[in-house]
């Protein structure tokens, strides 16, 4: 067999136009990058031209292509098993780690019971009532259709005449069946993934409520949501991102509620992403959608709870599921979406409202407590009467601003240490941080007690923020406020705080104002943010998502 590769006429003509050496190098690199998308030809054993994407009718040529494209006989987990069923030679192509043994065993048992196969009857039909197929007039079509219609007992089966499609499906866990003498193949979706059980997510725990959470398998995640929203208008569109990883991305929305312009915009953005892959899943997808920005504040909301995602879908939001990630992206999202928690809706309206106000107070303390206290103690004339007890009662060897900066970095360092410390050693690490560092630092005169106290209150407010991303952003903002207050006193703090509010007001999460309903002001929506109202008291959806159906009750 002649193995020489030849180019199409269009490529040869294009190369003749390139005269400069550097342009030729660029053209060669471009050809290599688009190797999987271009149509190349080869000469088969009979001397005919055939596309590299065509399924070869002989297993010798087919295995040669698989050796070149997927590393057959090189990668230990790539398997091409040749067997004979019903007098027909069949090649079974799969990745060893993805194959679901139980399903494939049932398929092989059924195939092993088939006797000698007659490809067609007298009238040319396989059965009295032939099944309609998309692949028609392919070589060996009768054999493939007979196996597909009568001999492979599985519900997720499709036929294809493209080798690239078989390779893509197999790389996602399916199994390909090739037939000697046939130019088409059958793909059976019989796969299994390493997956953990559904558990309550650590970042969104509730006292009462569902204990299931998303896992790293996309199909499991969308099923958890489908279980809660049994509406046939819940649409789950599957997209694929990444030239190498082919990562599955599911676009979820309720058709008669969600704004179609939002869905179309997201679909176009995801389709236009040109990257090698998304190994970090949802975070890289978020940055690809939002664009290049150094904004520390999250423009999307993450959730690992199916009930939270279901609630947002019913409000007209769009959810993005990414395979291999337990976090789901919710769009659009405002600042106030990041400080809501499912626990508020698991309690009575009065208790939920109280918990929400306490959370608001904690978020405000994490931002403004330290810079305001610093301004009051560094400018005694600003301290109101009766607040002398706020300190500091003693002095330290380091200036207050230096103490704050060192303590802020120290808390972040201890947080990172807690993440990377094995579970049996976390208690010892906490004792070292609290006793040996905190207490000794005060006794040696490096810190004053008030700095440790107020910094601890601010840290608790940060930990009380439901969104981990928002908590990190508020921590950076707090440092900025402290530096501005230390450098320019009250004017510096006022200017930076004003700039911070204006900056957030100008941000938009897919055309949704980030500080809505505070800016622009919407009294009715703001009441929903401040109060946790009874379930039946809410009759309309918020206008933020521009829902097609604004009513929530018949």
């Amino acid at each position: 067999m002649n193995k020489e590769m030849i180019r199409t006429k269009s490529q040869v003509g294009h190369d003749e136009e390139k005269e400069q050496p550097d342009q030729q190098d660029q053209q060669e690199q471009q050809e290599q990058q688009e190797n999987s998308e271009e149509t190349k030809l080869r000469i088969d054993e009979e001397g005919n031209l055939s596309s590299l994407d065509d399924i070869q009718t002989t297993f010798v040529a087919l295995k040669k292509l698989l050796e070149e494209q997927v590393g057959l006989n090189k990668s230990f987990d790539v398997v091409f098993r040749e067997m004979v069923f019903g007098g027909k030679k069949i090649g079974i192509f799969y990745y060893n780690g993805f194959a679901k043994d139980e399903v494939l065993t049932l398929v092989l048992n059924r195939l092993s019971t088939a006797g000698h196969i007659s490809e067609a009857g007298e009238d040319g039909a396989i059965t009295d009532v032939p099944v309609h197929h998309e692949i028609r007039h392919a070589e060996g079509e009768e054999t493939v259709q007979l196996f597909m219609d009568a001999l492979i007992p599985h519900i997720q089966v499709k036929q294809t005449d493209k080798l690239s499609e078989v390779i893509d499906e197999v790389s996602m866990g399916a199994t390909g069946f090739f037939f000697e003498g046939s130019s088409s193949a059958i793909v059976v979706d019989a796969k299994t993934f390493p997956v953990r059980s559904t558990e309550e997510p650590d970042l969104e725990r509730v006292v009462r409520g569902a204990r299931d959470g998303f896992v790293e398998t996309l199909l499991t995640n969308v099923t958890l949501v489908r279980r809660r929203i049994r509406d046939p208008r819940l649409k789950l569109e599957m997209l694929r991102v990444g030239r190498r990883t082919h990562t599955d991305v599911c676009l979820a929305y309720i058709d008669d509620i969600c704004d179609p312009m939002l869905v179309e915009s997201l679909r176009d953005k995801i389709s236009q992403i040109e990257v090698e892959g998304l190994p970090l899943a949802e975070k890289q997808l978020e940055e690809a959608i939002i664009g290049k920005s150094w904004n520390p504040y999250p423009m999307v909301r993450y959730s690992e709870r199916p009930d939270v995602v279901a609630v947002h879908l019913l409000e007209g939001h769009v959810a993005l599921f990414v395979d291999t990630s337990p976090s789901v992206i919710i769009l659009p999202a405002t600042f106030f979406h990041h400080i809501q928690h499912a626990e508020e809706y698991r309690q009575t309206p009065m208790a939920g409202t109280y918990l929400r106000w306490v959370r608001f107070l904690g978020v405000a303390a994490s931002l403004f407590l330290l810079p305001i206290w610093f301004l009051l103690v560094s400018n005694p004339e600003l301290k109101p009467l009766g607040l002398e007890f706020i300190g500091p009662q003693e002095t330290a060897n380091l200036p207050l601003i230096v103490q704050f900066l060192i303590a802020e970095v120290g808390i972040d360092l201890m947080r990172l240490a807690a993440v990377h410390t094995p579970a049996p050693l976390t208690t010892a690490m906490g004792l070292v941080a609290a006793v040996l560092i905190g207490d000794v630092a005060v006794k040696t005169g490096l810190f004053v007690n008030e700095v440790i106290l107020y910094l601890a209150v601010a840290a608790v407010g940060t930990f009380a923020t439901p969104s981990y991303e928002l908590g990190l952003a508020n921590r950076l903002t707090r440092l900025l406020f402290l530096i501005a207050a230390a450098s320019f006193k009250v004017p510096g703090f006022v200017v930076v705080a004003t700039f911070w509010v204006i900056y957030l007001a100008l941000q938009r999460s897919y055309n949704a104002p980030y500080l809505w309903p505070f800016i622009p002001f919407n009294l009715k929506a703001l009441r929903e943010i401040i109060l946790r109202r009874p379930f039946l008291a809410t009759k309309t959806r918020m206008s933020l998502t521009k829902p097609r159906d604004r009513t929530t009750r018949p």
Side-chain angles (χ1 to χ4, degrees):
M1 180 178 60
N2 190 347
K3 303 177 182 178
E4 180 181 1
M5 307 296 295
I6 65 173
R7 302 175 187 169
T8 61
K9 295 181 180 180
S10 59
Q11 292 172 334
V12 174
H14 188 65
D15 290 339
E16 291 177 353
E17 296 175 359
K18 301 297 182 178
E19 298 179 355
Q20 300 297 330
D22 56 341
Q23 292 179 342
Q24 292 178 356
D25 294 340
Q26 294 177 0
Q27 177 64 19
E28 291 177 357
Q29 294 176 359
Q30 183 178 0
E31 289 178 356
Q32 293 176 357
Q33 293 176 353
E34 299 177 355
N35 185 35
S36 60
E37 301 176 358
E38 294 176 348
T39 303
K40 293 184 174 61
L41 304 176
R42 77 184 308 151
I43 300 176
D44 60 18
E45 294 177 342
E46 300 178 356
N48 300 320
L49 290 179
S50 63
S51 172
L52 286 180
D53 201 21
D54 291 342
I55 296 176
Q56 303 298 313
T57 57
T58 62
F59 281 0
V60 174
L62 178 62
K63 289 191 290 185
K64 184 62 178 179
L65 282 179
L66 293 178
E67 288 178 358
E68 296 172 358
Q69 298 191 29
V70 298
L72 180 64
N73 298 327
K74 293 182 181 179
S75 299
F76 75 94
D77 61 335
V78 181
V79 180
F80 188 88
R81 176 82 161 89
E82 297 183 39
M83 304 181 72
V84 177
F85 297 104
K88 299 294 180 180
K89 191 175 182 180
I90 299 177
I92 307 173
F93 171 48
Y94 59 94
Y95 285 176
N96 201 14
F98 289 150
K100 195 169 186 178
D101 297 342
E102 298 84 356
V103 176
L104 290 179
T105 301
L106 290 175
V107 173
L108 295 180
N109 287 339
R110 174 61 182 272
L111 293 179
S112 62
T113 61
H116 182 72
I117 296 175
S118 176
E119 293 186 353
E122 296 179 356
D123 57 353
I126 298 174
T127 61
D128 294 336
V129 185
V131 180
H132 174 72
H133 293 271
E134 295 182 0
I135 308 299
R136 306 295 297 177
H137 307 296
E139 189 173 353
E141 173 189 358
E142 294 81 3
T143 299
V144 177
Q145 291 187 10
L146 177 60
F147 274 86
M148 183 174 181
D149 298 340
L151 298 179
I152 297 182
H154 193 63
I155 58 176
Q156 296 181 352
V157 182
K158 72 176 181 179
Q159 182 183 358
T160 179
D161 58 355
K162 300 297 183 183
L163 182 61
S164 61
E165 186 175 355
V166 177
I167 293 175
D168 288 343
E169 294 291 341
V170 171
S171 67
M172 291 187 293
T175 300
F177 286 79
F178 298 98
F179 304 88
E180 186 83 70
S182 300
S183 60
S184 60
I186 294 176
V187 177
V188 179
D189 190 4
K191 59 176 175 282
T192 180
F193 293 126
V195 61
R196 60 184 174 91
S197 61
T198 57
E199 300 173 349
E200 185 177 14
D202 293 332
L203 295 179
E204 298 177 88
R205 290 184 177 274
V206 293
V207 177
R208 294 189 182 275
R211 304 299 177 184
D212 56 347
F214 292 131
V215 294
E216 288 74 18
T217 304
L218 187 145
L219 183 60
T220 302
N221 295 342
V222 298
T223 304
L224 290 174
V225 175
R226 177 74 77 176
R227 181 183 180 187
R228 288 168 169 82
I229 304 179
R230 302 178 182 180
D231 188 350
R233 288 168 289 249
L234 173 60
K235 307 301 181 183
L236 302 171
E237 297 185 15
M238 187 66 70
L239 305 171
R240 193 170 295 171
V241 179
R243 184 172 63 90
R244 296 185 183 273
T245 62
H246 300 288
T247 305
D248 289 328
V249 177
C250 177
L251 181 67
Y253 60 95
I254 300 180
D255 194 26
D256 61 337
I257 297 178
C258 187
D259 180 16
M261 298 296 293
L262 174 62
V263 176
E264 186 67 24
S265 176
L266 281 171
R267 187 188 297 115
D268 292 342
K269 279 243 178 172
I270 296 175
S271 302
Q272 294 172 4
I273 296 176
E274 297 181 359
V275 294
E276 286 200 333
L278 300 177
L280 299 183
E282 82 289 348
K283 184 57 185 175
Q284 290 180 326
L285 179 64
E286 175 206 343
E287 294 184 9
I289 294 175
I290 299 302
K292 299 178 181 179
S293 174
W294 288 91
N295 179 18
Y297 280 86
M299 293 290 105
V300 301
R301 179 178 180 178
Y302 291 108
S303 179
E304 297 183 28
R305 295 188 62 90
D307 50 359
V308 172
V309 174
V311 168
H312 282 81
L313 288 174
L314 291 172
E315 291 178 353
H317 294 261
V318 174
L320 295 178
F321 297 80
V322 185
D323 195 23
T324 71
S325 171
S327 299
V328 173
I329 298 175
I330 301 174
L331 285 165
T334 67
F335 181 89
F336 297 100
H337 277 108
H338 294 282
I339 53 180
Q340 292 179 344
H341 194 271
E343 180 66 22
E344 302 164 2
Y345 297 92
R346 295 290 182 177
Q347 308 300 329
T348 62
M350 180 62 72
T353 300
Y354 167 74
L355 293 176
R356 182 172 294 183
W357 288 355
V358 170
R359 184 170 289 108
F360 287 167
L361 182 62
V363 174
S366 68
L367 280 169
F368 301 108
L369 178 63
L370 295 185
I372 291 179
W373 181 82
F374 179 82
L375 286 175
L376 292 179
V377 299
S378 59
N379 300 275
E381 67 277 5
L382 299 177
K383 188 183 302 182
L385 296 176
L387 292 182
E388 292 80 6
F389 64 90
I390 65 174
Q393 306 299 330
E394 300 177 356
T395 59
N397 298 325
L398 297 176
L400 285 177
I401 184 61
V402 177
Q403 296 180 44
F404 276 126
L405 294 179
I406 294 177
E408 287 277 10
V409 175
I411 287 181
D412 286 333
L413 186 61
M414 288 186 289
R415 179 182 60 84
L416 294 175
V419 172
H420 302 299
T421 302
L425 302 178
T426 52
T427 302
M429 195 277 296
L431 293 175
V432 170
V435 179
L436 298 183
I437 297 180
D439 188 51
V440 173
V442 173
K443 289 182 178 180
T444 55
L446 294 178
F447 291 89
V448 296
N449 292 319
E450 288 80 2
V451 169
I452 303 298
L453 172 64
Y454 293 117
L455 188 61
V457 174
V460 170
T462 300
F463 297 145
T465 305
S467 172
Y468 180 72
E469 294 77 17
L470 181 64
L472 289 177
N474 287 342
R475 187 175 303 163
L476 294 176
T477 303
R478 182 173 70 227
L479 284 174
L480 183 62
F481 287 165
L482 277 172
I483 295 174
S487 302
F488 304 102
K489 307 300 181 184
V490 175
F493 173 73
V494 173
V495 169
V496 172
T498 304
F499 175 79
W500 171 72
V501 173
I502 295 175
Y503 177 76
L504 292 184
L506 294 177
Q507 300 299 314
R508 306 184 75 83
S509 175
Y510 260 83
N511 207 31
Y514 195 62
L515 290 185
W516 185 91
F518 181 63
I519 300 175
F521 187 75
N522 187 320
L523 179 61
K524 184 177 180 180
L526 187 62
R527 182 180 59 182
E528 299 288 341
I529 297 296
I530 296 176
L531 303 176
R532 193 301 226 184
R533 302 179 66 199
F535 173 62
L536 296 181
T538 303
K539 300 180 180 180
T540 59
R541 296 182 177 87
M542 291 187 178
S543 60
L544 174 71
T545 56
K546 301 178 182 178
R548 301 172 63 182
D549 181 8
R550 294 203 59 187
T551 60
T552 60
R553 296 173 60 186

